[in-house]
Amino acid sequence: MARNIYAAGAYCVRSEVLPALDALAADLLQTVAETPAAIITSQALEGYYASAGGILKACELLESSEEQQTAPSLIDHDDEPINLIWSGEQAEYGYFSPAAGWITVPNAQLATFRVNFDKLFLYMLARMDGAHAAPIALVPGLVWEVGEVRLPGRSKRVPVWITRRLADPAVWAQFTEAARIRPAPGLRIVLSSTPADRLPAKIYNGHEFIAVRDVAVSGGLTVDPELLAARIAWGAPQTDEAITMGADGGSVTVRGKRYRFRGVKNRAIIRQLYKAWKSGNPECMTVQLLENAEFLVSVNTLAKAFSPREDWREFIKEENGSCWMFA
């Protein structure tokens, strides 16, 4: 990682020193960050995202790439960069497509821009309280350790990793290996450019996976500590209670086992059941529960509401029109 942005020791980022970034530009940057090489062609940038691209280049979040001999496929609809070869006959670069034969790549497509991850991390952590060590690449270009942050409501700082492309099984395998080598010290936040609906449904012990888009301020790139604190599942229970729930119903921990829920309606179910359990009168009418969660009339059982997953049955009972949470 470059040291001209991060000091050798601790550093402190102030949001006001960073140029403004709008939501469209932030979304484009995270989309580019999810491509295999984290690059976008000049042609695509100027042809479809001229305004957002201009902002990202001005903010140095996109920088000119030296990779001039790769390009996305024009025929095979593959997002993997293709190595180009020089054609003496055509006097241009191109590649051979199994579907269409020789494909010449226009010179305009050879110019590319790459995500500047150093600057991206500055934006992401701009509102975080506490000192951060210079980012360490645990998996080059995919997984970084960025130190510890202080969040509202927690007395201890929380370690943070930043990742991209977690929806790719190969990247997920590399992430889990990095986590195996460096086990989470109770709780570790994993921020990702991967959208929430593409994050792995798997739970990796001690890690809370959160899409940056879901906890960012209006610009869509800078993480809001308050939102982040509300999304954390808090790892293992910090009380003697058998069941604990994340602030937004996104996760529930039952006797040390954590269950994550993504859908808004599923989270609404969890919140209601947890509130009833907490009150000492856990039994709820299933129909009323589903109506409050705004399910369609056709969804009249928890089995339908949670389909296709079945692990909810490990701590929720549904019987004779009623349901309740148990430990």
Side-chain angles (χ1 to χ4, degrees), residues 63-83:
E63 57 186 0
S64 181
S65 170
E66 294 181 357
E67 291 188 15
Q68 299 295 312
Q69 297 182 15
T70 63
S73 171
L74 303 177
I75 298 295
D76 302 312
H77 307 292
D78 189 350
D79 65 352
E80 292 286 346
I82 296 173
N83 290 324

Side-chain angles (χ1 to χ4, degrees), residues 49-263:
Y49 312 105
S51 177
I55 293 173
L56 294 176
K57 288 188 285 185
C59 294
E60 300 179 353
L61 284 160
L62 283 180
E63 57 186 0
S64 181
S65 170
E66 294 181 357
E67 291 188 15
Q68 299 295 312
Q69 297 182 15
T70 63
S73 171
L74 303 177
I75 298 295
D76 302 312
H77 307 292
D78 189 350
D79 65 352
E80 292 286 346
I82 296 173
N83 290 324
L84 305 180
I85 58 177
W86 176 258
S87 169
E89 181 179 349
Q90 301 290 335
E92 289 185 301
Y93 281 101
Y95 65 95
F96 183 81
S97 165
W102 175 260
I103 303 297
T104 296
V105 177
N107 289 333
Q109 282 209 337
L110 297 180
T112 58
F113 287 88
R114 181 189 301 277
V115 174
N116 181 341
F117 286 105
D118 284 334
K119 187 59 70 75
L120 171 59
F121 298 156
L122 282 177
Y123 272 84
M124 282 186 178
L125 303 173
R127 294 194 177 188
M128 292 296 185
D129 182 18
H132 313 278
I136 299 172
L138 302 178
V139 180
L142 294 170
V143 181
W144 297 265
E145 182 179 53
V146 294
E148 298 181 342
V149 300
R150 186 180 293 109
L151 294 177
R154 293 189 67 89
S155 58
K156 295 183 179 180
R157 293 178 179 177
V158 184
V160 176
W161 285 8
I162 295 178
T163 67
R164 69 185 192 96
R165 293 185 58 75
L166 282 184
D168 185 329
V171 176
W172 174 256
Q174 293 179 80
F175 167 83
T176 56
E177 176 61 16
R180 184 191 68 80
I181 296 172
R182 296 192 179 205
L187 170 66
R188 175 182 289 144
I189 297 173
V190 182
L191 296 171
S192 183
S193 57
T194 306
D197 60 358
R198 296 186 62 205
L199 282 171
K202 310 166 188 174
I203 297 174
Y204 198 85
N205 189 38
H207 296 74
E208 183 70 19
F209 299 90
I210 300 175
V212 172
R213 291 173 173 86
D214 291 348
V215 291
V217 293
S218 58
L221 201 59
T222 300
V223 175
D224 184 326
E226 295 284 349
L227 288 177
L228 183 58
R231 290 294 303 270
I232 291 178
W234 304 109
Q238 297 185 358
T239 71
D240 293 329
E241 292 182 340
I243 302 177
T244 58
M245 185 185 71
D248 64 348
S251 66
V252 61
T253 302
V254 183
R255 296 202 178 280
K257 183 173 181 179
R258 187 159 43 126
Y259 304 81
R260 294 178 62 216
F261 295 88
R262 291 179 180 164

